[in-house]
Amino acid sequence: MDDQCYDLCTKLVSQSYIQQGKQAKLVHQKKIKHLLQHRKLPEDGWTDQTIELLLQELSVMDSNNFPDNCGVGEREARIFSSLVATRHYRFGHGIGRSGEITAIQPKAAGSSVMMKLTNSLMLDVIKISGIQSAASCFIVPMATGMSLSLCMLTFKQSRPNAKYVIWPRIDQKSCIKSMITSGFEPVVIENCIEGDELRTNLTAVIEKIEELDPDNILCVMTTTSCFAPRVPDRLEEISEICKKFDVPHLINNAYGLQCTKCTHLIQQASRKGRVDAFVQSTDKNFMVPVGGSIIAGFDAKLIESISKAYPGRASATPTMDLFITLLSMGSQKYKELLKERKENYQYLASKLSEVASKHGERLLKTHHNAISMGMSLSSIIVKEDKDVTEIGSMLFTRFVSGTRVISNSSTDSTINGLKITNFGAHCDKYNCPYLTAAASIGMTRNDVDTFVTRLDKVLKKYKSSVGSNCDVQSEEEKTTNNIPQGNT
Amino acid sequence: MDDQCYDLCTKLVSQSYIQQGKQAKLVHQKKIKHLLQHRKLPEDGWTDQTIELLLQELSVMDSNNFPDNCGVGEREARIFSSLVATRHYRFGHGIGRSGEITAIQPKAAGSSVMMKLTNSLMLDVIKISGIQSAASCFIVPMATGMSLSLCMLTFKQSRPNAKYVIWPRIDQKSCIKSMITSGFEPVVIENCIEGDELRTNLTAVIEKIEELDPDNILCVMTTTSCFAPRVPDRLEEISEICKKFDVPHLINNAYGLQCTKCTHLIQQASRKGRVDAFVQSTDKNFMVPVGGSIIAGFDAKLIESISKAYPGRASATPTMDLFITLLSMGSQKYKELLKERKENYQYLASKLSEVASKHGERLLKTHHNAISMGMSLSSIIVKEDKDVTEIGSMLFTRFVSGTRVISNSSTDSTINGLKITNFGAHCDKYNCPYLTAAASIGMTRNDVDTFVTRLDKVLKKYKSSVGSNCDVQSEEEKTTNNIPQGNT
Amino acid sequence: MDDQCYDLCTKLVSQSYIQQGKQAKLVHQKKIKHLLQHRKLPEDGWTDQTIELLLQELSVMDSNNFPDNCGVGEREARIFSSLVATRHYRFGHGIGRSGEITAIQPKAAGSSVMMKLTNSLMLDVIKISGIQSAASCFIVPMATGMSLSLCMLTFKQSRPNAKYVIWPRIDQKSCIKSMITSGFEPVVIENCIEGDELRTNLTAVIEKIEELDPDNILCVMTTTSCFAPRVPDRLEEISEICKKFDVPHLINNAYGLQCTKCTHLIQQASRKGRVDAFVQSTDKNFMVPVGGSIIAGFDAKLIESISKAYPGRASATPTMDLFITLLSMGSQKYKELLKERKENYQYLASKLSEVASKHGERLLKTHHNAISMGMSLSSIIVKEDKDVTEIGSMLFTRFVSGTRVISNSSTDSTINGLKITNFGAHCDKYNCPYLTAAASIGMTRNDVDTFVTRLDKVLKKYKSSVGSNCDVQSEEEKTTNNIPQGNT
Amino acid sequence: MDDQCYDLCTKLVSQSYIQQGKQAKLVHQKKIKHLLQHRKLPEDGWTDQTIELLLQELSVMDSNNFPDNCGVGEREARIFSSLVATRHYRFGHGIGRSGEITAIQPKAAGSSVMMKLTNSLMLDVIKISGIQSAASCFIVPMATGMSLSLCMLTFKQSRPNAKYVIWPRIDQKSCIKSMITSGFEPVVIENCIEGDELRTNLTAVIEKIEELDPDNILCVMTTTSCFAPRVPDRLEEISEICKKFDVPHLINNAYGLQCTKCTHLIQQASRKGRVDAFVQSTDKNFMVPVGGSIIAGFDAKLIESISKAYPGRASATPTMDLFITLLSMGSQKYKELLKERKENYQYLASKLSEVASKHGERLLKTHHNAISMGMSLSSIIVKEDKDVTEIGSMLFTRFVSGTRVISNSSTDSTINGLKITNFGAHCDKYNCPYLTAAASIGMTRNDVDTFVTRLDKVLKKYKSSVGSNCDVQSEEEKTTNNIPQGNT
């Protein structure tokens, strides 16, 4: 309503009350204005009302919502179902254009504003998270793996002969697939075992680069966030190597934005050496539904060229989910969540340690990994022929999700044509079997308490049944039950 | 509620009424059962209530909604904002796994059921639309262009040396980008002008294949749906050529599913020769928000291998939008919509013809294109130096979206490194300038009436102002205003 | 967003597109302005988007939504559940104040504007419906019966000695209860049987008034909409009688607003004689959930005094439901619905007539009743001892709701202390047993077709089973099953 | 989904995951079963998902949602607008029947179950709140005042000659109106000033009863929750008097359910003497939107007779709002809220005391009132001719709602024909002017802090401007601005 509308209201309701109502409206408007002006995360989260006000204002600006619009194109963002229209706040045009995923759409000014704002907010969040020098980022409605592919395909355009990706081993299928699908050949760098930790073998990286010739190398792909006992790669040193050999450096930071250890590594790497792009998941870092990732970097031009490589427009959903979530969160709550996560990590470590020692096991010492941790299962899993992942299944049927159990049996797997020994363990043979658990954003102390209680019970039951099949489960289940285990 | 619940209800409300209520519930349940059993589009669309009942039942099955679940993984589908949770019906896990986008997720049985069902419904729809032999399909939350890339990258795995894509020219940026981003080299086959139509030059296709050697050719990429005066490619002949030379055949069927001319062509091509995959947009064919496409084909194995190439899980939004929309539509309404579209095409042709002759112009004769049509602007656009696209802008500011104006000036453009003469016209030089309009699904007769009325006015105004700048528009606008024109 | 916001948007998205979006916003705003200015039903219904825009603008004006409001009163409209907040568009203050239900609330300017607007819209609707002279009305969140009570209690204030209500018999419990609860004594005027119709006995009305002395009479309460074979009361004559004897005249127009026969009667009555107030249900006339009624009249002062009699504030829900519904409908659609209802009445009559003659029965001739109609069951119901209402139950279990079956057995009932012979039949003894059906707003031709088909089957089954219990039903059901029959 | 549906799902997704999803569903179902069985407030609040599951199950049972239902009655609960349908979860039939507001509806089994359950839950809540002996209650979609009227009109039926209501003065308009609208004559019992408190004059009550003859007295209406310095009536003594004289006792417990002092009084009164019914608001005690009240008592028969006096069916909205809210809250959270309120009362008292002494004022000693408190304004308001309520207005425009300022000037008001001296002060002349504030359910410590800060500023500004008009406000505003002050 504009001033005239408010004036008309005073014919129905006395002026002083209308005046007060208008004042209240101005407060919302002021927040919106501030957002449009500064494009930064508001300090205090917005109420749902303010968020919906803005979404509606923007939605109204898209051509499919124009009153009396007549569409004679092949793509008019008509929406058949009102359930669908409602759940998208009547946005229909998606984001981007065939030219570029961050391009503005003439038919969708509102969607375009939302997209631009969300990318700006996200850059602010990345800086708040610890990567202060980040220069540009954009949200893309694809999983981390596909986004890594997009980055590599873009690198390829300026490195037409390159075909190898130097890749310190991380046992995630999507990671391997991102290289193979985009047509590159992963060059596996096995990790070193240092104490309990699995760490980057820098010498091997250098040797491989030299062996294959830097010109033939598309990039080095490193990983921050990962399951213990693997720890984040030695980013600083690798970035220096990349700089020295003039090889692109791509970082898989899937759920690392929530963890200052990871972000600090990226920030430092960018200062000391070369980092071309780092990619993270939206759902894992910001508690939105699966569907998007954020491609970010220190060179706005390069990031733009990646955004231009995406052919066609795309779903606005991950962008909208983040838009709503970030505005609702505000920087204060975001920082709180990061702090809580850190505390929960400590709490999880201490509680898991207790359970471990109760069962004659111990927490693995992997202090470089500040998200995931492992607990040994040395004495519990005595027979290699028993399906150790059964512990994971037992936990899952007791409504514990997210643990992984890794045996130290050594078998070969072939992932998309790539032969990997002991897949899942990040190395050919680890010291002992173990179970992992992670403290991720949004976890509560109550989650930890429930977990350790249930774990304790499961371990007791498992031990008492060794040699037999502890849970009543069919054969078919056993073969499939090892699935709910992490980032597969 | 189960039988016990209903029994308990009879202590509050008399049995006969509870009985009646239970009967009503069974009707919904019966529909759900029928769907799960047959996995085909219901004949009559479902009410929103039945749809929401099913969505809720499925949502409850996902781990993030398990009461008392405790999540200690790195990805637990927590949702921060209740606005976001609501708009996703509390689904959070997306679809697919790192292994495959059509894989089931242990943590998300409900999402997995929805995904499987939607893919099945979609296959049924494809058959209803006229491609009866289609064997498999899946929905992917990426635009058509990115999906074409995914197909080509998958082809590449079994054709490691292939680098060329034989490509009968279609002036869409995302199409070109899909080849270049995935690292291939488009080999442009210029169209022939036959009467008013632009058609595939079959001879040139054969010559190029022979010249480059079939082994070096990744695939031939053809197009069905396109702007007049270009018409769908000669699919049958091309599929025979592909079969003969053993070269994959990929069809860009972006908005062709709604048009029996296009689907018939694909069906025939698959019978007579080789079609590896055909890709279509979800939004353009099914009136859902932008964001997904459907990759389909006649060999379930091949389609599966494409689905396995997608690295990582993905947004469930395009799937959910289709799930809701298809159930809400039912086959009866879908067929009606297809029929109406056809009628509107005829109606648009006759009305546009009237306006054309009123202004001394004519409708281009492009009867092979059953979606888009062109009207000549030979006499209206007299000066080449005048920005003809201004007519498009004038229409857009009068709330007509989707028209395109193409001059016959001949200038060179470079799209992602590919030099193309007179980009937008699908050929180096066409007979006359023209304006296009399309009859797409969901259009109404009212849209047509409004369009021709506004077009008539705009043409009058434009003609009266030739030599001057007819609308009061800034220079900046002129350079950008030619944008809301079609599938760019 | 204000102009400054739009300007800021142009830094993100080019000016011409923002301009177009702003234009679209202005269209919504213009509609809102027009509404605030004229407070009449818009001709064309609004889209849900425009409606929600306005609701949000108004909601923002209420104190419970003021950002940073601090409430230290005993009533601050805090809302605990977000589900509840959402379903009320975050309105919490209800309508009215202790002073008056149409009073504005200082803490709730938005709710107050909505309430005032809805009352204005409703007055417009009443006029459109045929009561052009109506001077004032307000929506009250109480059923018709309670609203009739409120009117009578208000009349009482200026007629302290009056205790009788002259009441041409209409067999609706809530009607009787409205008099008795408010402490008055109904004086039943039995209807005359004229042909098939049950009509007002005017002589008896006059006699009773004279007998009891007009000063002791609170009012005459007449009824328009009713079940056939009763027809609307002779309003014109009664209003003249009321004028002559200076006795208030209250009209129960429960679902009569949808029917020009009823509204015409009220309009004429107000011209020729005395009508103090007429009351109608919101749900029955406007397809909103049950919960409100509209008190209207020809003297704004009197209507205001009724509104002032309501002690305390009240639920805004019936008002909001009407606000949304009326804006969504627009006058054009409303008129269409009225027209369709009329046509369906004719259609129902012809189809019911067919079924009747098929079974040796006939349609009762009650042409003064333009909503409800009756079909004789003379030959079908042969034994008085059989529970005739079983036909109603059989229909209900076959998903036909709203029919009533009336036997012509004569038994006495006592409703709230009032002894009434043959309750349900509107007279002590009618010519024959019968079944009623009605054509009300929102009914479709399909409803009619389904109804007559199912009725035909039920009658066949009933006749074939006379003497036995035709449906398998428990005794308990039989005693309760006669319930789903009309306005009980 | 039933077992068959789940079995069918296993053809799409492996059995173990479906099994897990089914388990999760059973948890929801178990909660629903427990609720239906025990009809008590769950200890832990339900998630929105479980609540919506149940609402949907119930909604499906109403005839307007029956698939293929055909309605030929005059009231079929059709809903025109999908916005309206959605906000009512597709319930349309309201609650109750013409017979009784707590009657079940044949056409609306689901609504009826919801209504019965909510009334049961509410009875449980009343007991939890401290009135353990309460025997019955029902929710009625009317404000407290109208509900008090309904009680009195019901009393009237068994006391046909009674016309007086003995009423210890409480200055609330709706309270007075409840008596006058229902046709009774309030007999005002002036309060005694005891210290700072205004308390019931028991002697005067007895004298009046004797003077007027108990048979002529409809009831004594007492009040618990009220603005300081008035305190709750001496319920125990009054109930003994009512018992002795055989006069009904009606308690206005508007927002007293949240306060153990009030509920304890009612419980004790019912033990020692006579309490017929006590009435409370839904919004003030349970943080739902305005619109309903709860009529409760210790004799189920009497409460039933009140419920039967309501003529016609009614809005289900207040019932549904409570249903959702109570399930969402659970008893644990409810108790927490009550505890927090008590603490906030203490906190408010201490902070307000600080501000008071800073300005040379003091907190009034009214320890019998555990919700509202007063702060003297003796020195601040020096001139009687100045509009003291300006302080209230100044606070309101600074987004503080709910305070009231009472001068000690003595003027006569006439409320609905009843002359009352110094209306608003609960007595003809109080010791000093004062300002009230209340600690009600849902208030936060932050509210208190903000309030005292703003109050301090306002008092400073007011004092500095005495003699002049402190805020820039128009005359019109001054006359209306004293409105946002409490329970008017």
Coordinates of all heavy atoms in Angstrom, one line a residue, chain B residues 401-426:
Chain B
S401 N 4.5 -11.3 -23.7 CA 5.9 -11.9 -23.6 C 6.0 -13.1 -24.5 O 5.0 -13.7 -24.9 CB 6.1 -12.4 -22.1 OG 5.1 -13.3 -21.7
G402 N 7.2 -13.3 -25.0 CA 7.5 -14.5 -25.8 C 7.6 -14.3 -27.3 O 8.0 -15.3 -28.0
T403 N 7.4 -13.1 -27.8 CA 7.6 -13.0 -29.2 C 9.1 -12.7 -29.5 O 9.9 -12.3 -28.6 CB 6.8 -11.7 -29.8 OG1 7.3 -10.6 -29.1 CG2 5.4 -11.9 -29.5
R404 N 9.5 -12.9 -30.7 CA 10.9 -12.6 -31.1 C 10.8 -11.9 -32.5 O 10.0 -12.3 -33.3 CB 11.7 -13.9 -31.3 CG 11.9 -14.7 -30.1 CD 12.7 -15.9 -30.4 NE 14.1 -15.7 -30.4 CZ 15.0 -16.2 -31.2 NH1 14.6 -16.9 -32.3 NH2 16.3 -15.9 -31.1
V405 N 11.6 -11.0 -32.7 CA 11.7 -10.3 -34.0 C 13.1 -10.6 -34.5 O 14.1 -10.3 -33.8 CB 11.4 -8.8 -33.8 CG1 11.6 -8.1 -35.2 CG2 10.0 -8.6 -33.3
I406 N 13.2 -11.0 -35.7 CA 14.5 -11.3 -36.4 C 14.6 -10.5 -37.7 O 13.7 -10.6 -38.5 CB 14.5 -12.8 -36.7 CG1 14.4 -13.7 -35.5 CG2 15.8 -13.2 -37.5 CD1 15.5 -13.6 -34.5
S407 N 15.6 -9.7 -37.7 CA 15.9 -8.9 -38.9 C 16.6 -9.8 -39.9 O 17.1 -10.9 -39.5 CB 16.7 -7.7 -38.6 OG 18.0 -8.1 -38.4
N408 N 16.7 -9.4 -41.1 CA 17.6 -10.2 -42.0 C 18.9 -9.6 -42.3 O 19.6 -9.9 -43.3 CB 16.8 -10.6 -43.3 CG 16.4 -9.4 -44.1 OD1 16.4 -8.3 -43.5 ND2 15.9 -9.6 -45.3
S409 N 19.3 -8.7 -41.4 CA 20.7 -8.2 -41.5 C 21.6 -9.4 -41.2 O 21.3 -10.3 -40.5 CB 20.9 -7.1 -40.5 OG 20.7 -7.7 -39.2
S410 N 22.8 -9.3 -41.8 CA 23.7 -10.4 -41.6 C 25.0 -9.9 -40.9 O 25.8 -9.2 -41.4 CB 24.1 -11.0 -43.0 OG 25.0 -11.9 -42.9
T411 N 25.0 -10.3 -39.6 CA 26.2 -10.0 -38.8 C 26.8 -11.2 -38.2 O 26.1 -12.2 -37.9 CB 25.9 -9.0 -37.7 OG1 24.8 -9.5 -37.0 CG2 25.5 -7.6 -38.3
D412 N 28.0 -11.2 -37.9 CA 28.7 -12.4 -37.2 C 28.6 -12.3 -35.7 O 28.8 -11.2 -35.1 CB 30.1 -12.5 -37.7 CG 30.2 -12.9 -39.1 OD1 29.2 -13.3 -39.7 OD2 31.3 -13.0 -39.6
S413 N 28.3 -13.4 -35.1 CA 28.4 -13.4 -33.6 C 29.3 -14.5 -33.3 O 29.6 -15.5 -34.0 CB 27.0 -13.8 -33.0 OG 26.0 -12.9 -33.5
T414 N 29.9 -14.4 -32.1 CA 30.7 -15.5 -31.6 C 30.1 -16.0 -30.2 O 30.1 -15.3 -29.3 CB 32.2 -15.1 -31.4 OG1 32.6 -14.5 -32.6 CG2 33.1 -16.2 -30.9
I415 N 29.6 -17.2 -30.3 CA 29.0 -17.8 -29.1 C 30.0 -18.9 -28.5 O 30.2 -19.9 -29.2 CB 27.7 -18.5 -29.5 CG1 26.8 -17.6 -30.3 CG2 27.0 -19.0 -28.2 CD1 26.3 -16.3 -29.6
N416 N 30.5 -18.6 -27.4 CA 31.4 -19.5 -26.7 C 32.5 -20.0 -27.7 O 32.8 -21.2 -27.8 CB 30.7 -20.8 -26.2 CG 30.0 -20.5 -24.9 OD1 29.2 -19.7 -24.9 ND2 30.5 -21.2 -23.9
G417 N 33.0 -19.0 -28.4 CA 34.1 -19.3 -29.3 C 33.7 -19.8 -30.7 O 34.5 -20.0 -31.6
L418 N 32.4 -20.0 -30.8 CA 31.9 -20.5 -32.1 C 31.4 -19.4 -32.9 O 30.5 -18.7 -32.5 CB 30.8 -21.6 -31.9 CG 30.3 -22.4 -33.1 CD1 31.4 -23.3 -33.5 CD2 29.0 -23.1 -32.7
K419 N 31.9 -19.2 -34.1 CA 31.5 -18.0 -34.9 C 30.2 -18.4 -35.7 O 30.2 -19.4 -36.4 CB 32.6 -17.6 -35.9 CG 32.4 -16.2 -36.4 CD 33.6 -15.8 -37.2 CE 33.3 -15.6 -38.6 NZ 34.4 -15.2 -39.4
I420 N 29.2 -17.6 -35.5 CA 27.9 -17.9 -36.2 C 27.4 -16.7 -36.9 O 27.3 -15.6 -36.2 CB 26.9 -18.5 -35.2 CG1 27.4 -19.9 -34.7 CG2 25.5 -18.6 -35.8 CD1 26.4 -20.7 -34.0
T421 N 27.1 -16.8 -38.1 CA 26.6 -15.6 -38.9 C 25.1 -15.4 -38.6 O 24.3 -16.4 -38.6 CB 26.8 -15.8 -40.4 OG1 28.2 -16.1 -40.6 CG2 26.4 -14.6 -41.2
N422 N 24.7 -14.2 -38.3 CA 23.3 -13.9 -38.2 C 22.6 -14.7 -37.1 O 21.5 -15.3 -37.3 CB 22.6 -14.1 -39.5 CG 21.3 -13.3 -39.6 OD1 21.1 -12.3 -38.8 ND2 20.5 -13.6 -40.5
F423 N 23.3 -14.8 -35.9 CA 22.8 -15.6 -34.8 C 21.4 -15.2 -34.5 O 21.0 -14.1 -34.3 CB 23.7 -15.5 -33.6 CG 23.3 -16.4 -32.5 CD1 23.7 -17.8 -32.6 CD2 22.5 -16.0 -31.4 CE1 23.3 -18.7 -31.6 CE2 22.2 -16.9 -30.5 CZ 22.5 -18.3 -30.5
G424 N 20.6 -16.2 -34.3 CA 19.1 -16.0 -34.0 C 18.2 -16.4 -35.1 O 17.1 -16.7 -34.9
A425 N 18.8 -16.4 -36.3 CA 18.0 -16.6 -37.5 C 18.1 -18.1 -38.0 O 17.4 -18.5 -38.9 CB 18.3 -15.7 -38.6
H426 N 18.9 -18.9 -37.4 CA 19.1 -20.3 -37.8 C 19.7 -20.4 -39.2 O 19.8 -21.6 -39.7 CB 17.8 -21.1 -37.7 CG 17.1 -20.9 -36.4 ND1 17.6 -21.3 -35.2 CD2 15.9 -20.3 -36.1 CE1 16.7 -21.0 -34.2 NE2 15.7 -20.3 -34.8

